[in-house]
Amino acid sequence: MWTERLAVTGQRGAPAGVDMNVPSVARVYDFMLGGKDNFAVDRMVADHALKITPDGPQAAQANRAFLRRVVRFLVAEQGVDQFLDLGSGLPTQGNVHEVATRHDPEARVVYVDNDPIVLAHGRALLAHDGTATVIQADARSPESILENPDVRRFLDFDRPIGLLLFAILHHLRDDEDPKSVATTLCAALPPGSYVAISHFRDPGERHPDASRKAREVEKVFNQSLGTGRWRTDEEILSFVDGLEVVEPGLVPLAAWRPEPAEGTPKQTDTYHTFVGLVARKP
């Protein structure tokens, strides 16, 4: 468990380099999950989005549940015992290393995020934990992540790795070439590795009302956070070109290998506009 917290919600507790007047993707997501490590500016952005899609918190929770199911699948069923988690965000219950070590105590995790608050939390909370570490890096520079000495020290690139890209690629603009980012990262993985992606989706004519709201929320995100792209199925699948997509394919998050205890998910607007997949590198 994450057993310590840093006081970052007040001006005095904000780590050096954190501008409380600039919203953060990680902190907006934290708010959606019911966390307390966010500022007024983050809540303002979230409130704007919630006016269009009030089920935003449920979407954030579905993403966390998808993450937990994916990690459990990779560790317990596929034998993957090391993970590279990009855009890991602020810690909450059911983090990757918690789920992974529940099934394999020797599992190792490297968390990567560019938010200094995430780094501050991670360094404090993982100071005495030998199974996980956190680095501050930008997903738009995948080479710097792959060459980071902590990544190379924690992960063995001669054995399968689980690359986790949850809710990160949709925050890269088209001109930042997210496909190149994904391709570079996948190319560095050894055979037998897996890539898991969750991504905002524009479902188009299949669900026109959800598609319209997706475009409205995209506008809000880009006016406030500066990033956020709701892409088509074809665009999302292009991130794993050359890999074998695991059944059931690219589907709404709650539809990816749901567990009986989770029940039947309510098909709200964000159900259709937040999707995920897992793919294996042959």
Side-chain angles (χ1 to χ4, degrees), residues 5 24 58 68 104 110 159 179 187 195 199 205 220 258:
R5 304 294 287 175
S24 154
Q58 288 86 349
R68 291 191 290 269
D104 182 349
V110 175
R159 298 190 300 109
K179 183 174 180 179
V195 180
H199 199 291
E205 295 181 357
V220 169

Side-chain angles (χ1 to χ4, degrees), residues 66 73 77-78 194 244-251 255-258 276-280:
F66 172 60
F73 164 74
E77 298 185 36
Q78 305 304 317
Y194 287 82
E244 302 167 349
V245 178
V246 175
E247 292 294 334
L250 179 64
V251 294
W256 197 90
R257 299 181 179 234
L277 64 80
V278 174
R280 180 181 182 275

